[in-house]
Amino acid sequence: SQQGEEDPQALSIQEGENATMNCSYKTSINNLQWYRQNSGRGLVHLILIRSNEREKHSGRLRVTLDTSKKSSSLLITASRAADTASYFCSHSGNTPLVFGKGTRLSVIA
Amino acid sequence: EAGVVQSPRYKIIEKKQPVAFWCNPISGHNTLYWYRQNLGQGPELLIRYENEEAVDDSQLPKDRFSAERLKGVDSTLKIQPAELGDSAVYLCASSSLGTLAGDEQFFGPGTRLTVL
């Protein structure tokens, strides 16, 4: 069974707005990663945050990690139509690699 | 640099038929993963290889699924016989160190399997 869960399942915003999606997990982790998947394509790695890190930035992306709450968030600032995709979190630790069901983001121009 | 290559991209078969998927990882990547992704779901890990050794196959349905990576490079995933519920996208990914070391995975485009 999948142990990671993204929230919300779907998100629709206007171009230029910020998008925030969350990921929760149940076990201890070594690191947590966020991926993007465009329709009909493979997943593309966005950013990795290690268990001893609390925040990380990459361009318009900001990821936070709260190990006490077993949760992470991905913030996309100044969204663009090209950001329309599904976003997944994945974590590795003592259990097999797991992905959540993803958040489907729609950015409307 | 070429990415992860998968073939075929699409496959339509009748139930009870065998099917095979092929994956060639990025050159130099020791770790190879096979995932199954159902519509509206995230990828589900089927098997992970470190070089030619299967180090995690706990979620591979071994009664009908098999995989091999004989020379530690390319890999084949087979289903025999296929069932209707096997319809999904089968994704292959590779990484150089393995995700436990904090390494990102590079995914191929996937093979979309339809079982009729």
Side-chain angles (χ1 to χ4, degrees):
Chain A
S1 62
Q2 294 181 334
Q3 298 184 35
E5 292 291 340
E6 291 87 351
D7 170 64
Q9 290 189 15
L11 180 61
S12 183
I13 60 174
Q14 295 290 325
E15 200 169 32
E17 294 180 338
N18 295 341
T20 300
M21 53 204 85
N22 305 295
C23 168
S24 62
Y25 56 92
K26 298 180 181 179
T27 63
S28 60
I29 62 171
N30 294 326
N31 62 72
L32 187 142
Q33 304 183 44
W34 285 91
Y35 288 81
R36 182 188 71 226
Q37 185 177 35
N38 293 92
S39 180
R41 310 283 288 274
L43 282 74
V44 174
H45 182 264
L46 295 177
I47 196 167
L48 177 149
I49 187 166
R50 300 185 188 282
S51 60
N52 61 353
E53 298 176 312
R54 292 296 168 260
E55 186 171 315
K56 204 162 185 179
H57 296 255
S58 176
R60 294 184 296 112
L61 306 179
R62 172 177 169 257
V63 169
T64 62
L65 179 65
D66 187 336
T67 53
S68 65
K69 295 181 179 179
K70 291 185 167 55
S71 67
S72 173
S73 67
L74 171 67
L75 169 67
I76 304 174
T77 60
S79 63
R80 306 167 181 169
D83 295 328
T84 295
S86 290
Y87 291 82
F88 296 92
C89 68
S90 168
H91 57 86
S92 64
N94 297 323
T95 55
L97 298 167
V98 291
F99 283 83
K101 295 182 179 180
T103 292
R104 293 186 302 280
L105 174 65
S106 298
V107 181
I108 303 169
Chain B
E1 177 183 311
V4 176
V5 179
Q6 289 189 248
S7 68
R9 290 294 311 277
Y10 304 91
K11 189 73 176 179
I12 300 174
I13 61 172
E14 294 187 346
K15 63 181 180 182
K16 301 185 181 179
Q17 295 299 306
V19 65
F21 314 122
W22 178 79
C23 172
N24 194 30
I26 292 174
S27 177
H29 280 192
N30 298 323
T31 307
L32 184 146
Y33 314 77
W34 281 105
Y35 291 90
R36 176 173 58 192
Q37 186 176 23
N38 293 305
L39 187 64
Q41 303 290 315
E44 174 191 13
L45 179 68
L46 294 175
I47 189 168
R48 174 169 63 97
Y49 283 94
E50 297 287 348
N51 298 304
E52 65 274 10
E53 182 182 0
V55 296
D56 184 357
D57 64 353
S58 58
Q59 300 182 92
L60 186 73
K62 297 181 182 61
D63 57 337
R64 298 182 299 107
F65 286 66
S66 64
E68 60 183 16
R69 193 186 185 199
L70 295 177
K71 297 182 180 179
V73 180
D74 59 339
S75 176
T76 301
L77 177 68
K78 298 179 181 178
I79 308 175
Q80 182 170 7
E83 298 179 350
L84 296 176
D86 296 331
S87 294
V89 176
Y90 290 83
L91 295 166
C92 179
S94 70
S95 65
S96 61
L97 297 176
T99 57
L100 290 180
D103 207 26
E104 69 176 273
Q105 298 177 66
F106 293 81
F107 282 81
T111 296
R112 183 177 296 277
L113 173 67
T114 301
V115 182
L116 304 176

